[in-house]
Amino acid sequence: MTASSSDAIAVLRIEIEYIEPLIWRRVAVRTSMNLKALHKVIQAAMGWLDYHLWEFTADEQVRHSHS
């Protein structure tokens, strides 16, 4: 049996740039997840309360927030 595309899982490594020592987390998410949901996963994984700027880049398309 094969998993449907909505059941596929991606393992992501999330790193904070320009900081020493390196801070990173590994999370597993469904590939069908939208960016808003992924943002919530990252906030939880990093222990943040949505006070940090964020940016996603995929296929040269950028989405960001100034929250």
Side-chain angles (χ1 to χ4, degrees):
M1 183 178 348
T2 61
S4 70
S5 61
S6 64
D7 292 333
I9 301 293
V11 177
L12 307 176
R13 180 180 167 113
I14 302 163
E15 297 182 358
I16 300 178
E17 294 183 328
Y18 315 118
I19 190 167
E20 291 288 333
L22 179 64
I23 297 173
W24 65 277
R25 302 288 187 270
R26 183 175 295 134
V27 297
V29 298
R30 293 190 187 282
T31 58
S32 60
M33 181 177 287
N34 64 35
L35 291 179
K36 186 174 183 177
L38 178 59
H39 171 70
K40 290 180 181 182
V41 168
I42 294 169
Q43 292 292 310
M46 300 305 284
W48 293 339
L49 301 173
D50 204 15
Y51 297 125
H52 294 77
L53 298 177
W54 56 273
E55 178 179 285
F56 295 109
T57 304
D59 297 328
E60 299 182 17
Q61 295 180 6
V62 176
R63 179 175 174 155
H64 61 275
S65 170
H66 300 287
S67 52

